[in-house]
Amino acid sequence: MTKIDTSSPESVLPTPSHTVGPFYGYALPFPGGGDIAPVGHPETITVQGYITDGEGDPLPDAFVELWGPDPDGNVPTTDGSIRRDPATGGYLGRNGVEFTGWGRIQTDANGHWYARTLRPGARGRSAPYLSVCVFARGLLVHLFTRIYLPGDAAALAADPLLAGLDADRRDTLIATDTGHGTYRFDIRLQGEGETVFLEFQ
């Protein structure tokens, strides 16, 4: 019988039960998950950013899911964000023509993510926004937030959610226009500059 000295923490190796899941990297990513806009669509924009923890360190194994209406503000009802071959079960991807408004993106080793989608149109009294859901290791309950795009100051000022926030908190929900149809939106899970997250009841 082998005896293990447990008198010091260095002598005991962690087991899987000591890690905090869930782990999403195995079955959930799919190729082209961030290519939401139809190929060659003239209103395509790119939204990109980083996900960081409370210390400001990048999260290399997080997921961002995006949902958004089309440029007219209509919520798409088209199926097929993830298409599979009915014969082989293999991945076919998107058809590149129909806009489903949904995408799933895994962060890279630097915590970076990006998606190509269509600029969302306004719905109801809200300024145009993309809905976001964040999944990550150690995050036992996924988080919801929004990405508002700059460009219409009056619409942003009148948005019911943004109007109820202090200016510094409001800014965590508004992407930065970096030019050429590209917007940056970083997601901070905790700490200074923490992104505003939403709770649905």
Side-chain angles (χ1 to χ4, degrees):
M1 174 185 271
T2 303
K3 292 186 177 181
I4 299 175
D5 177 15
T6 59
S7 61
S8 69
E10 293 80 13
S11 65
V12 180
L13 298 175
T15 66
S17 65
H18 291 105
T19 63
V20 179
F23 304 98
Y24 296 103
Y26 171 67
L28 292 181
F30 66 99
D35 295 325
I36 305 167
V39 175
H41 196 289
E43 297 182 61
T44 297
I45 62 170
T46 298
V47 183
Q48 59 88 25
Y50 293 85
I51 299 182
T52 56
D53 63 16
E55 301 297 319
D57 296 326
L59 294 183
D61 54 0
F63 278 106
V64 176
E65 288 190 350
L66 299 178
W67 299 272
D70 65 21
D72 294 324
N74 300 314
V75 175
T77 58
T78 302
D79 292 330
S81 289
I82 307 176
R83 296 185 311 131
R84 298 205 175 268
D85 186 320
T88 67
Y91 175 77
L92 290 175
R94 301 176 191 273
N95 64 16
V97 177
E98 296 173 290
F99 178 66
T100 63
W102 178 84
R104 177 186 293 150
I105 309 99
Q106 185 171 15
T107 56
D108 65 16
N110 298 314
H112 184 257
W113 64 275
Y114 78 94
R116 292 173 51 260
T117 189
L118 300 182
R119 187 179 182 96
R123 300 183 64 232
R125 295 171 47 218
S126 297
Y129 67 87
L130 297 169
S131 295
V132 181
C133 187
V134 180
F135 302 81
R137 170 177 42 90
L139 194 61
L140 300 180
V141 178
H142 48 277
L143 301 172
F144 295 98
T145 189
R146 290 179 177 179
I147 301 174
Y148 288 91
L149 300 178
D152 188 339
L156 293 173
D159 183 89
L161 174 63
L162 294 177
L165 299 172
D166 294 334
D168 59 333
R169 302 292 289 140
R170 184 183 311 123
D171 289 344
T172 71
L173 296 180
I174 303 173
T176 302
D177 187 344
T178 57
H180 308 290
T182 301
Y183 299 87
R184 179 166 176 172
F185 186 80
D186 295 330
I187 299 170
R188 180 76 179 260
L189 298 185
Q190 289 180 315
E192 185 177 351
E194 176 184 326
T195 302
V196 170
F197 295 106
L198 309 177
E199 181 176 304
F200 296 96
Q201 299 179 346

